[in-house]
């Protein structure tokens, strides 16, 4: 753990958790690293087949020779057409919708990205029709291939916020892609769409089977079949190990922002990715969900056990045995990522947060930070390193009453410890907290100033060479030691960051709401190499496949490569 300054404090438990994690976790981390999971089998056209590149979700690539200078080019003010002659080091540009929050993935010679219908690629849905869209492009030239279309739910913004589109990333393996729609469905698609002239099943009831349309293989409607009620949107970037597909359902509160329409609905799922059959489900956060649940799962073999890690809408992170137990969920551990005295209130004033980013598995440990719906604004945050070999409630603190100081209080939604009722927070003797980073008092004035604070984040950490990098929603990029939590540097991008960093080729790439991509040297000393504006807000995360950097801004997807010149389509 750490004190309020961010300094690491010892746990007095003998051997380091990094040693206890053992050689098995290290071997597994190497086996499921980005280079192994990112490849799609076509060696000439390497991929990045899911959010974070692997089930460990560490957005780190092994690419070399990536550009640090490029110009996205200009666009015609009347037609919106890209002027390729004005660009530099850009291979192609594809038009997306009017708002894009999904992170692109690359596999099998195709690029997939979630957006809305602002472009109107499919003839039967002109741009005036609001949809959630998963678009598929050819990775050679950015030409449009097909689209999966999710019509808006009739219940409106409580379940399906206007113009937000698809806010997650698909998982692609071979000729199948899996993703979560804005309608609360888990879908399996044929990566060829109907371009192969076949209608793969068991689902064969597509309304239109034209070459520009998606071919749905199976679909699980979580709202109809499982009673899920997502708040504002449904978004989860799924992952899989073998035939096990892991999903966060997004179950959340109603339009009043207080009650859950169905607190008994599951929050976390394990499906058979071949047919969508439910293998096990967990409703662990239950009625304690603060707002929504939009985190994505990660996976690792930790302490000799295959674990799937979920970030909950109650601000807790949960570790389950990925295999389940006789068709039921098997919870191994849980960790409260908020201080026990923190409180959740509406309107963005809360200091108790839920989890938006994705847990990351690295060298046998789990890394996660807390966040909030961006609509609720900025606030204080917390970044944790957790030892997943512990069992039970492994939070840093336990909530107790002074009348019964050895008996933990039950899990409560808004506030775990209410001092006015004679309740206190005590150190947890079973704590799995390796370190805690709330920020760092670098000025030594006894408080955390703005540029020293870890704020709420929508982002996910990236770790390479023992350096952990994460941007927060307030626009600060933080670099800390991954094993100790000791701070190295922060940088204020002067604009909110909705995404996560990419680490590749000895550099860090981070986007912000002003449309800037900040490029840093991967170093314990801050070195800002360049800032390049993409012409529109960047809400997503850069990724790399082969020697190509892919960046989606609000309205376009760019394929950026050193020395690239656009080819005529």
């Amino acid at each position: 753990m750490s004190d309020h300054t961010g300094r690491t404090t010892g746990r007095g438990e003998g051997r380091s958790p990094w040693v206890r994690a053992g050689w098995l976790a290290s071997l597994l981390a190497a086996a499921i690293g980005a280079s192994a999971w990112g490849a799609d089998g076509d060696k000439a056209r390497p991929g990045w087949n899911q959010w974070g590149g692997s089930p460990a979700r560490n957005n780190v690539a092994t690419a070399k020779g990536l550009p640090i200078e490029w110009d996205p080019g200009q666009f015609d003010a009347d037609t919106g057409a890209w002027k390729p002659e004005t660009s530099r080091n850009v291979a192609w540009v594809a038009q997306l919708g009017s708002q894009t929050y999904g992170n692109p993935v690359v596999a099998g010679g195709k690029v997939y990205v979630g957006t809305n219908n602002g472009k109107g690629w499919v003839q039967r849905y002109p741009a005036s029709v609001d949809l959630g869209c998963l678009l598929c492009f050819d990775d050679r030239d950015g030409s449009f291939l097909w689209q999966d279309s999710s019509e808006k739910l009739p219940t409106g913004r409580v379940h399906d916020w206007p113009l937000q589109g698809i806010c997650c990333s698909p998982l692609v393996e071979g000729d199948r892609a899996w993703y979560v729609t804005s309608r609360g469905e888990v879908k399996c698609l044929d990566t060829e769409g109907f371009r192969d002239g076949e209608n793969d099943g068991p689902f064969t009831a597509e309304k239109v089977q034209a070459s520009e349309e998606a071919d749905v293989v199976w679909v699980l409607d979580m709202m109809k079949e499982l009673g899920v009620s997502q708040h504002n949107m449904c978004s989860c970037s799924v992952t899989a190990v073998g035939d096990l597909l892991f999903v966060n359902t997004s179950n959340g509160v109603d339009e009043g922002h207080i009650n859950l329409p169905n607190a008994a609905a599951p929050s976390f799922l394990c499906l058979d990715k071949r047919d969508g059959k439910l293998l096990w489900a967990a409703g662990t956060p239950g009625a304690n969900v603060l707002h929504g649940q939009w985190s994505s799962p990660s996976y690792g073999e930790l302490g000799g056990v295959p674990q799937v890690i979920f970030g909950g809408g109650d601000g807790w992170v949960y570790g389950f045995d990925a295999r389940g137990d006789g068709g039921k969920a098997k919870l191994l551990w849980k960790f409260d990522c908020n201080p026990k005295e923190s409180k959740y209130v509406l309107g963005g004033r809360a200091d108790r947060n839920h989890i938006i980013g994705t847990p990351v598995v690295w060298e046998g440990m789990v890394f996660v930070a807390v966040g909030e719906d961006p609509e609720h604004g900025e606030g204080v945050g917390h970044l944790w390193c957790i030892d997943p070999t512990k069992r039970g409630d492994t939070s840093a603190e336990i909530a107790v009453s002074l009348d019964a100081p050895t008996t933990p209080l039950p899990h409560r939604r808004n506030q775990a410890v209410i001092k006015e009722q004679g309740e206190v927070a005590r150190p947890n003797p079973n704590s799995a907290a390796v370190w805690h980073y709330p920020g760092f008092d670098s000025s030594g004035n006894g408080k955390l100033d703005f540029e020293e604070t870890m704020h709420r984040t929508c982002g996910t950490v990236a770790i390479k060479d023992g350096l952990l990098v994460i941007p927060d929603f307030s626009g600060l990029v933080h670099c800390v030691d991954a094993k100790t939590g000791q701070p190295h540097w922060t940088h204020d991008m002067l604009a909110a960051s909705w995404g996560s960093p990419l680490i590749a080729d000895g550099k860090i790439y981070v986007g912000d709401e002003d449309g800037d991509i900040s490029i840093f040297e991967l170093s314990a000393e801050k070195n800002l190499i360049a800032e390049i504006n993409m012409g529109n807000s960047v809400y997503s995360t850069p990724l790399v496949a082969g020697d190509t950097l892919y960046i989606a801004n609000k309205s376009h997807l760019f394929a950026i490569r050193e020395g690239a010149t656009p080819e005529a389509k």
Side-chain angles (χ1 to χ4, degrees):
M1 286 189 61
S2 68
D3 59 21
H4 70 280
T5 66
R7 293 188 299 268
T8 304
T9 57
R11 295 188 298 155
E13 295 180 359
R15 299 179 67 191
S16 162
W18 303 95
V19 176
R20 292 200 312 271
W23 62 270
L24 179 61
S26 298
L27 286 178
L28 184 79
I32 66 172
S35 59
W37 286 85
D40 55 42
D42 184 345
K43 298 302 182 182
R45 301 172 74 180
W48 198 255
N49 76 331
Q50 60 188 295
W51 159 233
S54 80
R57 306 298 204 173
N58 190 20
N59 200 40
V60 176
T62 57
K64 299 293 184 182
L66 295 181
I68 58 173
E69 295 181 352
W70 67 85
D71 189 329
Q74 301 173 13
F75 293 83
D76 187 276
D78 295 324
T79 66
W82 182 49
K83 299 179 179 180
E85 70 278 5
T86 64
S87 70
R88 179 187 177 199
N89 286 339
V90 178
W92 53 259
V93 173
Q95 188 171 350
L96 306 178
S98 62
Q99 296 189 40
T100 301
Y101 300 93
N103 296 298
V105 300
V106 184
K110 300 178 178 67
V111 186
Y112 306 80
V113 62
T115 184
N116 67 17
N117 194 43
K119 169 63 171 82
W121 277 109
V122 174
Q123 185 175 3
R124 67 186 174 114
Y125 289 123
S128 59
V129 178
D130 192 10
L131 300 170
C133 300
L134 181 68
L135 304 181
C136 179
F137 300 96
D138 191 305
D139 75 349
R140 291 188 177 94
D141 59 7
S143 57
F144 172 72
L145 298 177
W146 54 260
Q147 170 179 303
D148 189 47
S149 307
S150 295
E151 297 181 353
K152 304 301 285 185
L153 289 169
T155 48
R157 63 183 56 207
V158 64
H159 291 134
D160 197 355
W161 197 270
L163 297 177
Q164 300 304 287
I166 301 300
C167 296
C168 62
S169 302
L171 162 72
V172 184
E173 294 179 359
D175 61 356
R176 293 292 181 262
W178 299 262
Y179 86 108
V180 175
T181 77
S182 50
R183 295 178 60 88
E185 304 159 320
V186 185
K187 277 187 176 181
C188 175
L189 307 178
D190 176 6
T191 59
E192 293 301 313
F194 283 109
R195 297 170 66 86
D196 60 2
E198 300 176 357
N199 188 354
D200 292 21
F203 185 92
T204 56
E206 292 90 346
K207 294 179 182 178
V208 178
Q209 299 181 15
S211 61
E212 63 185 6
E213 302 276 352
D215 180 2
V216 180
V217 178
W218 59 256
V219 58
L220 171 66
D221 189 325
M222 296 186 288
M223 297 187 75
K224 290 182 178 179
E225 299 183 43
L226 301 176
V228 171
S229 180
Q230 67 263 17
H231 180 70
N232 292 162
M233 69 177 64
C234 194
S235 181
C236 165
S237 297
V238 301
T239 193
V241 175
D243 292 327
L244 304 181
L245 182 72
F246 303 111
V247 184
N248 186 322
T249 69
S250 299
N251 194 48
V253 298
D254 60 16
E255 62 272 17
H257 291 77
I258 295 176
N259 300 310
L260 272 74
N262 189 0
S267 294
F268 315 133
L269 305 179
C270 177
L271 307 177
D272 188 321
K273 74 179 185 185
R274 297 169 295 183
D275 55 16
K277 178 182 177 181
L278 180 64
L279 300 178
W280 58 260
T284 315
N288 291 311
V289 172
L290 302 175
H291 190 206
Q293 300 191 100
W294 305 296
S295 181
S296 300
S298 58
Y299 170 89
E301 187 162 340
L302 303 164
V305 179
Q307 295 191 32
V308 56
I309 316 297
F310 287 99
D314 54 354
W316 292 61
V317 62
Y318 296 89
F320 292 88
D321 188 317
R323 302 163 294 189
D325 185 11
K328 297 181 179 180
K330 184 179 180 180
L331 179 65
L332 301 174
W333 57 272
K334 58 183 180 179
F335 187 97
D336 189 354
C337 294
N338 289 287
K340 293 298 184 183
E341 293 183 11
S342 61
K343 184 177 181 179
Y344 183 73
V345 292
L346 295 176
R349 304 183 308 276
D351 58 2
R352 184 166 190 82
N353 301 305
H354 43 107
I355 298 172
I356 303 289
T358 305
V360 166
V361 177
W362 180 79
E363 292 201 358
M365 299 296 142
V366 173
F367 301 81
V368 67
V370 298
E372 248 288 2
D373 181 343
E375 194 177 49
H376 289 190
E378 301 174 27
V380 299
H382 302 273
L383 171 64
W384 296 92
C385 173
I386 303 166
D387 179 356
T389 63
K390 292 270 194 171
R391 296 293 179 261
D393 183 350
T394 68
S395 306
E397 301 174 317
I398 55 174
V400 299
S401 169
L402 291 175
D403 295 333
T406 61
T407 303
L409 293 170
H411 186 175
R412 288 197 298 242
R413 177 176 182 262
N414 290 338
Q415 191 171 15
V417 166
I418 304 174
K419 296 175 68 175
E420 295 78 8
Q421 296 181 6
E423 299 169 354
V424 295
R426 302 290 194 205
N428 183 3
N430 190 44
S431 173
V434 179
W435 53 258
H436 169 218
Y437 175 77
F440 180 66
D441 180 19
S442 58
S443 65
N445 65 358
K447 62 179 183 179
L448 293 179
D449 297 323
F450 174 87
E451 65 276 7
E452 300 170 335
T453 300
M454 178 69 210
H455 302 91
R456 293 171 175 166
T457 183
C458 302
T460 297
V461 308
I463 307 173
K464 173 71 173 176
D465 297 338
L467 298 176
L468 179 153
V469 182
I470 185 171
D472 64 34
F473 188 66
S474 295
L476 294 184
V477 180
H478 302 258
C479 178
V480 305
D481 187 292
K483 291 194 174 183
T484 67
Q486 294 286 348
H488 290 305
W489 52 264
T490 63
H491 176 80
D492 190 351
M493 296 190 293
L494 304 177
S497 176
W498 294 58
S500 303
L502 164 70
I503 298 178
D505 196 20
K507 295 178 280 290
I508 304 161
Y509 296 80
V510 186
D512 66 34
E513 194 170 30
D514 279 352
D516 289 326
I517 299 294
S518 296
I519 306 174
F520 303 89
E521 179 186 358
L522 180 65
S523 171
E525 301 293 329
K526 184 171 73 172
N527 180 15
L528 178 63
I529 298 172
E531 286 182 336
I532 300 173
N533 191 270
M534 299 301 298
N536 208 335
S537 299
V538 175
Y539 293 124
S540 61
T541 298
L543 69 90
V544 63
D547 58 356
T548 303
L549 182 66
Y550 293 89
I551 298 176
N553 70 9
K554 194 176 179 180
S555 55
H556 291 82
L557 174 63
F558 297 80
I560 302 164
R561 185 166 56 247
E562 187 68 37
T565 55
E567 296 181 8
K569 294 185 181 180

